[in-house]
């Protein structure tokens, strides 16, 4: 069922505390932790505690929770003292999504080229 923890999901395991992560912020509905393979000086992932497969599915199932992720992106940027940052939701394997539990990448602390690759 939408939102329920999935046994085979890495990020559900991080939410449950069964897989360690370097957590930088937590709210009632979200967890933010450092990406294990950072692509910028600040590279934080923000996930909903509830399991949804990607940002689009989350927005349909629970728009308020989708908004929580965006609010948390700014909160992470504030804590990391980032004036500018990029939020990325890779959606679908062809776009590089490898973990099918919604996550916002927050990237900053270096120049960010546009358009991205
Ligand atoms: P994506 O490719 O958009 O699905 O992003 C998944 C991200 O999760 C990648 O940037 C990985 O480096 C990151 N990642 C994978 N395993 C872990 C982990 N155990 N802790 C933190 N980040 C992870
Ligand atoms: Zn999950």
């Amino acid at each position: 069922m939408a939102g329920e923890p999935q046994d085979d999901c890495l990020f559900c395991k991080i939410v449950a505390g069964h897989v360690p992560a370097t957590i930088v912020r937590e709210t009632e509905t979200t967890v933010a932790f450092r990406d294990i393979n950072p692509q910028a000086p600040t590279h934080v992932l923000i996930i909903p505690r509830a399991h949804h497969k990607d940002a689009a599915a989350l927005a349909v199932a629970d728009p308020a929770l989708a908004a929580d992720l965006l609010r948390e992106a700014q909160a992470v940027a504030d804590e990391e003292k980032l004036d500018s940052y990029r939020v990325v939701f890779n959606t679908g394997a062809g776009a590089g999504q490898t973990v099918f539990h919604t996550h916002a990448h927050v990237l900053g602390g270096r120049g960010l080229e546009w358009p991205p690759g």
Side-chain angles (χ1 to χ4, degrees):
M1 208 175 93
E4 295 298 317
Q6 303 291 302
D7 288 344
D8 58 350
C9 174
L10 173 65
F11 288 176
C12 283
K13 289 178 185 158
I14 287 178
V15 169
H18 297 155
V19 167
T22 305
I23 291 173
V24 295
R25 282 183 59 82
E26 287 188 90
T27 70
E28 212 173 287
T29 58
T30 65
V31 180
F33 53 94
R34 296 203 187 279
D35 195 294
I36 206 168
N37 181 24
Q39 302 302 312
T42 291
H43 187 172
V44 171
L45 302 176
I46 306 170
I47 65 175
R49 292 184 186 276
H51 179 94
H52 299 274
K53 72 175 173 136
D54 58 30
L58 170 63
V60 169
D62 193 341
L65 183 53
D68 288 349
L69 288 192
L70 295 181
R71 248 192 317 277
E72 277 301 290
Q74 182 64 54
V76 166
D78 288 344
E79 282 198 4
E80 299 282 316
K81 305 200 180 336
L82 302 176
D83 293 331
S84 304
Y85 60 93
R86 185 168 293 160
V87 180
V88 175
F89 290 95
N90 292 326
T91 304
Q97 187 176 4
T98 58
V99 180
F100 290 83
H101 178 133
T102 313
H103 51 282
H105 295 257
V106 176
L107 297 151
R110 65 164 168 80
L112 295 164
E113 287 173 19
W114 190 261

